[in-house]
């Protein structure tokens, strides 16, 4: 089982965009598997560029072929592996007087944009920390909502993963997930296992122990 290291150094947190709940903490795995933390201007501009693309989310952000990087980003400084902690969804919704569910749905939309950007910018691996072991202790209605969102996401996106050459894998204690979701994840892992593009690792029911 893969494990995602947890870091104690100050995380780089993207400032909230006024309309999108993407506040990921980025953990960068540089080439040659050396872990490092780069609060560099290059990273800032990567974040700024990502945010400006998220603003244009409603426009088509096609995955397409790997492309020339936007101004300010340098190919030799791009990480191989980006990991995102997908929190802040409820806070984002609360700040706008919306129910938590709207925050989670917006989080999923932001995730779609992030996946497309990783494909376009040549990131090899994207890990998203989507549901922690502690999240099981949230109110049942909220857990059910998230499980439903996960199930819909896996169903809706599989064709896209196949078309875009994205390989899906998951980490975490999947035995706690409802059976249909376990089945969907296993199926997606199996059907995409030979894909050679972006590897999308979804950490669900994950605690750092798995
Ligand atoms: C499993 C699934 C459907 C993944 C899709 C992506 C997504 C929206 C993940 C967020 C899940 C989550 C419980 C985040 C925790 O912070 P929070 O945003 O609930 O709370 P906070 O605002 O208090 O940090």
């Amino acid at each position: 089982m893969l494990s995602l290291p947890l870091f104690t150094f100050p995380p780089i947190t993207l400032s909230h965009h006024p309309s999108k709940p993407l506040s990921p903490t980025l953990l960068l795995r540089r080439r040659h598997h050396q872990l490092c933390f780069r609060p560099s201007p290059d990273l800032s501009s990567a974040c700024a560029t990502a945010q400006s693309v998220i603003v244009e989310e409603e426009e088509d952000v096609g995955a397409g072929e790997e492309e020339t990087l936007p101004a300010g980003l340098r190919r030799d400084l791009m990480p191989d592996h980006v990991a995102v902690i997908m929190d802040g969804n409820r806070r984002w919704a609360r700040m706008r007087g919306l129910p938590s569910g709207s925050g989670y749905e917006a989080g999923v939309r932001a995730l779609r944009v992030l996946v497309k950007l990783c494909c376009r910018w040549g990131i090899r691996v994207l890990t998203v920390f989507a549901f922690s072991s502690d999240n099981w202790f949230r109110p049942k209605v909220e857990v059910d909502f998230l499980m439903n969102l996960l199930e819909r996401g896996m169903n809706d996106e599989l064709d896209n993963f196949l078309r875009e050459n994205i390989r899906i894998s998951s980490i975490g204690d999947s035995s706690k997930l409802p059976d249909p979701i376990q089945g969907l994840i296993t199926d997606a892992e199996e059907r995409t296992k030979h894909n050679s593009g972006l590897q999308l690792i979804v950490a669900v029911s994950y605690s750092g122990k798995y």
Side-chain angles (χ1 to χ4, degrees), residues 183-203:
L184 282 170
I185 292 176
T186 307
D187 182 51
E189 287 179 328
E190 182 60 28
R191 289 176 64 187
T192 63
K193 70 181 179 193
H194 296 303
N195 286 356
S196 57
L198 176 71
Q199 183 181 6
L200 175 58
I201 302 174
V202 187

Side-chain angles (χ1 to χ4, degrees), residues 16-110:
H16 268 142
H17 182 273
S19 65
K20 298 293 171 223
L22 186 70
S23 62
T25 302
L26 301 184
L27 310 175
L28 306 183
R29 184 184 287 275
R30 297 275 297 140
R31 292 186 202 293
H32 313 301
H33 307 289
Q34 183 193 357
L35 290 166
C36 71
F37 176 60
R38 296 185 62 85
S40 66
D42 300 278
L43 182 61
S44 311
S45 50
C47 296
T49 309
Q51 287 193 325
S52 69
V53 175
I54 289 160
V55 177
E56 296 155 12
E57 182 203 328
E58 277 6 290
E59 296 173 20
D60 185 25
V61 184
E65 293 298 309
E66 194 176 318
E67 60 173 35
T68 312
L69 293 173
L73 300 188
R74 280 178 45 188
R75 175 75 56 206
D76 59 327
L77 293 178
M78 293 299 276
D80 282 338
H81 189 162
V82 174
V84 179
I85 298 172
M86 299 203 62
D87 66 354
N89 306 278
R90 284 189 307 188
R91 275 169 284 163
W92 177 89
R94 207 175 295 134
M95 280 167 61
R96 287 157 182 79
L98 298 170
S100 302
S102 302
Y104 292 132
E105 282 167 346
V108 171
R109 292 199 296 277

Side-chain angles (χ1 to χ4, degrees), residues 16 21 23 85-94 100-101 103-109 111 128-132 134-136 138 142-143 145-153 177 202-205:
H16 268 142
S23 62
I85 298 172
M86 299 203 62
D87 66 354
N89 306 278
R90 284 189 307 188
R91 275 169 284 163
W92 177 89
R94 207 175 295 134
S100 302
Y104 292 132
E105 282 167 346
V108 171
R109 292 199 296 277
L111 176 57
V128 291
F129 193 177
F131 190 90
S132 75
D134 289 341
N135 290 152
W136 290 118
R138 289 193 174 189
E142 200 169 316
V143 171
F145 187 92
L146 282 162
M147 288 301 120
N148 186 267
L149 210 55
L150 183 58
E151 186 169 3
R152 268 193 290 149
L177 294 168
V202 187
V204 199
S205 191

